[in-house]
Amino acid sequence: MASVSPLLADGPADNQAENVRPIPPPGIDLDADALDSLHTKSAMVRDRWQQLVDAAASPKPNSPETARLRDLEPEVLVFPRAVEMSIEQSIFYTPKALADAERLLNMANDRIDRIAAGASWADVVGLNLSDKKQLIAGGYRSKLDDSFQPYGVVIPAHVNARDALPIRMDIWLHGRGEKSSELAFLNKHSNDPERYRAGNEPMPQSAIVAHPYGRYSNAFKFAGEVDVLELRDYLQRRIAIDDRRVAIRGFSMGGAGCWQIATHYADQFFAATPGAGFSETPLFLEVFQGEDAAGTAPTHQKTLWQLYDCPPWASNLRNLPTIAYSGEIDRQKQAADVMESALSEKGIDLVHLIGPQTAHKIHPDAQQEIARRLDLIERQISPGIPRNVHLTTLTLRYSKMHWIEVTGMHQHWLPTTIDASVLANPTGNDDQIMIECENATRLRVNFDAGQWPGKPSGRIGVMINGNEVVDTKTGPVVGSDRSLTAEFMFDGTWKVASDDAASLRKRPGLQGPIDDAFMDRFVFVLPSGTSNDPVVEQWIQAESKHAMDHWRLHFRGDVRVVQDTEVDAAMMAKQNVILFGDASSNQVIARLLPKLPLQWTKDKISIDKNQVSHGGHVPVMIYPNPESPNHYVVINSGFTFREYDYLNNARQTPKLPDWAFLDVREGSTSRDPGKVVAAGFFDEAWQPK
C-alpha cells in the first residue's frame, strides 16, 4: 500500500476513531536556540515591513503609496508567516528545514528592499523574460480571514509573462502531502529552477502553471476550493492571462480536486485533466479504507456527500472538454472508472487515457498525449459564449453555467437540471430563448456586455418547459452594448419574476449547510459572559477553542475573533458571524434569538417539533443573519468535519446539515462535537421541515 499512493493513508489502521494520529504529523526535535533565532529574525522582517508602512502612512494615511504597500504586503509577509507557523506547530521535518526557513526570511528582506526602491509587483517577485525556466513563490491575502496564503508559479523558458499579450495558464492541483507545510511548499517553488522536479506536474512549453497551496490537505474542498479561485483571480490581475485559456488539472488528491472543481465550475475553464484521486465518498472509502461509510453514516451526511461527490454533477462536463488519466495498475483508477460510468449514463464518452503497467504516476507517453490534446482543444476556443448551455446542480452554492443561473429551487439536494438555448429565427429578424428545467423555481438569464449572440436590438421571446412566458413584444430588451438580463419565477406557471430581495428564502450564497459559512469572510464571536449550565459552559469553552485552533491547523488560516460586546452593525454587514455561547453568555445570541426559528428557554431547546431538554444540550445551526440578511449567523459550530476525517480526504465532507441538537454531557470526540440527538435541513424558505 505504501508504494501505491501518497494520497492513501494507512488503510483500515486509520479507521480507529479512538486512536487518531495527528495531522499534520509532529516534526523532529530541534535546538531551542536555533528556533528562538528564527523567531527573532522573523519578527525583524515584520518590524522592517511595518517601518516602511508607517513611513508611507505618516504624511498621507490613504496615499497611493500606502495602497501600493498593502497590495504588495502578502508577497513579503507570507514568508515569515510560513516560518512562524512551522515554529508554532512544531512541524519542521528535517534539520535542513532550518536553513530553508532562513532562506525564505532572506527572500522577504530582499523583497522589502525592492519595494522600498519603488519596484512593481513583477520586479518584486522576480518575473523576467528569460531563456530558462523561472519559479515564482509568493502569497496573496485571502478574503476569508485576511491570511497570507502561499502560491507557486512555473514559467517556461522564453515565455514572457510580463508582456501584455494574453497567455494560457494551467492550474495544477497537488497531491496529498501530510508534511507539506507552507515552509516546504514555498521552498519548493522558490528554489533553483534547474533543480525543480516536476514529477507528475505538467510542463507546457507555452503556458504558465499556477500552483495553489489549497490550504494544505483537503482535496481542494471548502476553503481549499476558494483558494484555487482566489489565486486564479489574483494572478489574472497581475499577469496578462487569457481568461478563456485557463485549464484545471491535477493528480492524486489533486485529481480529486480537479474532478469536483471541473464539475462545479465547468464554464470557467477551457479544459480539465483529472488524474487518479477519488471522485466520490462511499465507494472510495470502501475500496481504500475497508470502511462501510454507506452502511454507517446518518442520512443527513449521505445527503451532504452530494456536495462533492462528482457523479451527480457529471453532465456539467458537456460544457468542458475533459481528459482523464489513470495508471493501469493504480487502484485510484477507480475514480475515473466511476466517472466514466456516470458520464456514460448521460451520453458522454469519457476520454480515459491509461498508462500501461503503471502504478501511481503519470506515464511519460500519456503526459505527452494529454499535452497534445490540450493544445488542440486550446486552438479551437471560440471568442463568443455558447448558445446552448446545460446545468445540473443540487445546491445553490453552484448555481450558474455561462449565461443561465438557478436562483431558486423546489428542494435542495435533489437534481435541478437546466437546458437553455438561444434559437435564431430562420428569417433572421427574431431570436428566442428556450429553457427546459426541472426542480427550479427561479431562473436568471444574464448576458453581459457584448455577450448576447442574437439580433442586435429589440425584444426577445422566452419559452420555459414548452410554454411561452414572454413574446417578442413583451420580452427582455437587448441593450445597446449587446447585453441582456431577465429573471423568471414559477408560481404555478412561469412568469417574469418580481423583486424579492427582502424575502427570506434560500438563494445563491445563502443556502447552507453550516460549512458554507466558512467559504466566505467570517469572524468568531466569543461570549463575554458565562452560561448558567456548567456543562454547557465547559463545552462552549472547549469547542470554540477547537473550532479556532483547527481553522488554523487544518485550513491554515488566521483566526479573526472578537467578543460579543464588540459586535456592531458595521461588523455584521461585512461578514458571517460565528457565535459561541447561549443567551445567558453571548449578548449577540440573546439579541438574535427572538428572530430565529429556535426556541432556547431554561427548560427546553426546540426547532418546530424537534425538542430536547435544556440541561447538557446545545443547538448548532446556520441561518440568514436577521440583522444582515445577505450574510450568515452560525451558532456553536466551526467547520463540521474533525480529526478522524483528516486521515482520508474522501471523508472531508459536511457532517452536519442546517441545524442539529447536541448532547454535550460526555464532551466531543474525534468525529463529533457531541452526541447528535437530532439534525435536519430548513426548507427553501428557511423554515423548519
Side-chain angles (χ1 to χ4, degrees):
M1 284 287 289
S3 65
V4 173
S5 167
L7 181 145
L8 300 182
D10 286 344
D14 270 342
N15 294 348
Q16 308 303 315
E18 68 281 358
N19 185 26
V20 172
R21 60 190 177 86
I23 304 291
I28 62 173
D29 291 331
L30 292 172
D31 180 70
D33 290 339
L35 293 176
D36 287 344
S37 175
L38 265 185
H39 198 278
T40 299
K41 291 176 181 178
S42 183
M44 291 172 64
V45 170
R46 289 188 177 275
D47 288 345
R48 282 197 67 205
W49 178 255
Q50 192 58 48
Q51 289 170 16
L52 192 63
V53 171
D54 291 345
S58 179
K60 294 182 178 180
N62 299 315
S63 68
E65 177 62 9
T66 301
R68 185 181 79 93
L69 293 180
R70 177 172 172 78
D71 184 58
L72 293 172
E73 185 174 53
E75 299 288 4
V76 173
L77 297 188
V78 70
F79 297 113
R81 182 179 187 273
V83 173
E84 291 157 4
M85 290 191 76
S86 291
I87 296 172
E88 170 191 323
Q89 297 173 4
S90 299
I91 51 174
F92 289 92
Y93 296 110
T94 67
K96 178 181 174 296
L98 289 172
D100 294 338
E102 293 262 10
R103 191 177 68 81
L104 294 184
L105 294 176
N106 289 338
M107 286 181 63
N109 278 314
D110 178 65
R111 290 188 176 186
I112 291 174
D113 292 339
R114 296 185 192 188
I115 292 169
S120 66
W121 175 83
D123 291 326
V124 168
V125 301
L127 184 62
N128 301 300
L129 176 61
S130 173
D131 59 357
K132 296 182 179 180
K133 177 170 55 185
Q134 297 179 73
L135 302 182
I136 292 174
Y140 74 90
R141 180 184 282 104
S142 174
K143 68 177 181 179
L144 301 189
D145 55 7
D146 290 335
S147 63
F148 301 139
Q149 291 298 318
Y151 70 86
V153 178
V154 179
I155 302 174
H158 303 293
V159 170
N160 186 0
R162 298 186 66 141
D163 199 347
L165 187 67
I167 59 177
R168 173 180 138 191
M169 179 171 73
D170 292 1
I171 299 176
W172 179 256
L173 308 183
H174 62 77
R176 181 179 174 102
E178 294 180 358
K179 296 181 180 179
S180 183
S181 64
E182 290 86 349
L183 192 152
F185 180 88
L186 288 167
N187 182 63
K188 174 182 177 180
H189 289 282
S190 63
N191 226 316
D192 181 356
E194 299 309 310
R195 296 171 56 195
Y196 183 82
R197 298 181 63 185
N200 291 309
E201 300 166 16
M203 297 296 290
Q205 297 301 305
S206 58
I208 69 171
V209 181
H211 293 259
Y213 181 53
R215 289 187 178 243
Y216 182 52
S217 180
N218 51 66
F220 302 91
K221 299 186 244 185
F222 304 106
E225 169 187 327
V226 176
D227 181 71
V228 174
L229 303 178
E230 284 194 298
L231 176 59
R232 177 199 60 185
D233 295 346
Y234 179 82
L235 293 176
Q236 284 182 324
R237 293 194 298 269
R238 286 155 177 79
I239 299 174
I241 295 164
D242 188 341
D243 60 8
R244 297 173 304 152
R245 293 191 290 151
V246 179
I248 187 73
R249 311 182 65 181
F251 186 75
S252 195
M253 183 185 81
C258 185
W259 277 120
Q260 67 92 358
I261 288 176
T263 52
H264 288 151
Y265 301 100
D267 58 343
Q268 300 193 27
F269 305 96
F270 83 86
T273 67
F278 58 92
S279 56
E280 46 67 53
T281 296
L283 292 176
F284 182 85
L285 291 178
E286 181 180 350
V287 170
F288 287 89
Q289 293 291 131
E291 182 176 357
D292 182 20
T296 58
T299 300
H300 62 264
Q301 289 186 8
K302 294 178 184 179
T303 298
L304 291 167
W305 285 345
Q306 297 178 102
L307 182 66
Y308 284 117
D309 279 7
C310 299
W313 306 78
S315 59
N316 286 335
L317 295 184
R318 294 174 187 172
N319 305 283
L320 180 64
T322 301
I323 305 164
Y325 167 82
S326 302
E328 184 179 14
I329 57 174
D330 185 358
R331 292 206 300 162
Q332 287 182 29
K333 180 175 175 290
Q334 179 257 4
D337 289 343
V338 166
M339 289 303 293
E340 190 168 4
S341 176
L343 287 162
S344 178
E345 292 178 6
K346 303 298 181 181
I348 302 172
D349 185 17
L350 178 66
V351 172
H352 186 186
L353 303 182
I354 306 296
Q357 289 301 301
T358 303
H360 195 65
K361 66 179 181 179
I362 300 180
H363 191 283
D365 293 346
Q367 190 78 277
Q368 292 182 19
E369 179 62 12
I370 293 170
R372 185 189 73 83
R373 290 176 181 246
L374 273 182
D375 289 344
L376 291 174
I377 294 169
E378 181 186 1
R379 292 175 199 168
Q380 299 302 315
I381 296 173
S382 60
I385 66 169
R387 281 177 170 262
N388 303 305
V389 174
H390 172 82
L391 169 65
T392 291
T393 185
L394 290 93
T395 165
L396 293 177
R397 160 53 60 179
Y398 307 107
S399 62
K400 183 176 178 294
M401 191 67 67
H402 290 293
W403 49 269
I404 193 75
E405 183 175 14
V406 182
T407 56
M409 299 171 67
H410 281 291
Q411 185 174 344
H412 262 73
W413 308 112
L414 293 179
T416 298
T417 59
I418 312 291
D419 286 286
S421 301
V422 177
L423 302 180
N425 188 292
T427 66
N429 295 323
D430 295 308
D431 291 282
Q432 186 177 62
I433 297 173
M434 185 171 290
I435 301 171
E436 294 291 328
C437 64
E438 292 183 8
N439 196 37
T441 59
R442 291 182 76 99
L443 298 171
R444 179 182 293 129
V445 172
N446 184 29
F447 293 88
D448 207 343
Q451 290 187 343
W452 170 249
K455 65 182 184 180
S457 62
R459 292 187 179 274
I460 305 300
V462 178
M463 293 189 70
I464 302 179
N465 290 347
N467 298 311
E468 187 175 65
V469 181
V470 290
D471 58 22
T472 54
K473 294 181 180 179
T474 60
V477 181
V478 178
S480 62
D481 61 352
R482 306 299 187 269
S483 63
L484 185 141
T485 303
E487 189 162 1
F488 305 94
M489 61 182 287
F490 184 79
D491 186 12
T493 59
W494 282 99
K495 60 185 180 181
V496 175
S498 57
D499 181 15
D500 76 334
S503 67
L504 180 63
R505 66 176 179 87
K506 290 189 173 181
R507 58 186 74 229
L510 207 68
Q511 74 292 309
I514 290 170
D515 288 275
D516 198 64
F518 300 91
M519 294 181 71
D520 210 334
R521 188 169 181 82
F522 67 92
V523 61
F524 289 103
V525 180
L526 299 185
S528 58
T530 302
S531 172
N532 294 330
D533 185 333
V535 172
V536 169
E537 175 63 23
Q538 182 179 7
W539 181 89
I540 288 169
Q541 293 296 326
E543 191 61 21
S544 60
K545 183 178 186 303
H546 182 278
M548 293 185 291
D549 287 351
H550 283 259
W551 178 254
R552 188 156 178 84
L553 182 72
H554 187 76
F555 280 119
R556 317 306 291 168
D558 286 349
V559 175
R560 302 175 60 249
V561 57
V562 298
Q563 290 278 304
D564 55 351
T565 53
E566 301 175 73
V567 176
D568 57 19
M571 186 179 295
M572 289 275 209
K574 295 177 181 178
Q575 60 213 314
N576 303 324
V577 290
I578 316 301
L579 310 175
F580 278 90
D582 60 14
S584 62
S585 63
N586 190 307
Q587 296 179 16
V588 181
I589 292 178
R591 189 171 76 238
L592 295 181
L593 194 56
K595 305 172 186 177
L596 300 175
L598 170 68
Q599 288 71 51
W600 197 353
T601 70
K602 63 180 181 179
D603 299 316
K604 67 178 183 179
I605 303 170
S606 64
I607 292 178
D608 197 31
K609 297 178 182 179
N610 303 281
Q611 179 177 314
V612 293
S613 62
H614 178 279
H617 291 87
V618 170
V620 300
M621 66 180 292
I622 187 170
Y623 204 75
N625 188 336
E627 296 182 3
S628 181
N630 292 325
H631 297 92
Y632 289 120
V633 57
V634 172
I635 295 179
N636 289 326
S637 183
F639 65 89
T640 64
F641 63 88
R642 296 172 81 89
E643 292 90 333
Y644 176 75
D645 308 304
Y646 300 172
L647 301 177
N648 191 299
N649 299 113
R651 289 178 181 153
Q652 294 167 342
T653 58
K655 302 305 178 189
L656 293 174
D658 295 343
W659 65 268
F661 295 155
L662 306 179
D663 183 338
V664 300
R665 286 173 290 187
E666 295 184 7
S668 63
T669 69
S670 68
R671 301 190 73 165
D672 298 295
K675 181 180 178 181
V676 179
V677 179
F681 297 91
F682 293 112
D683 68 14
E684 299 306 310
W686 282 103
Q687 297 305 306
K689 289 187 177 182

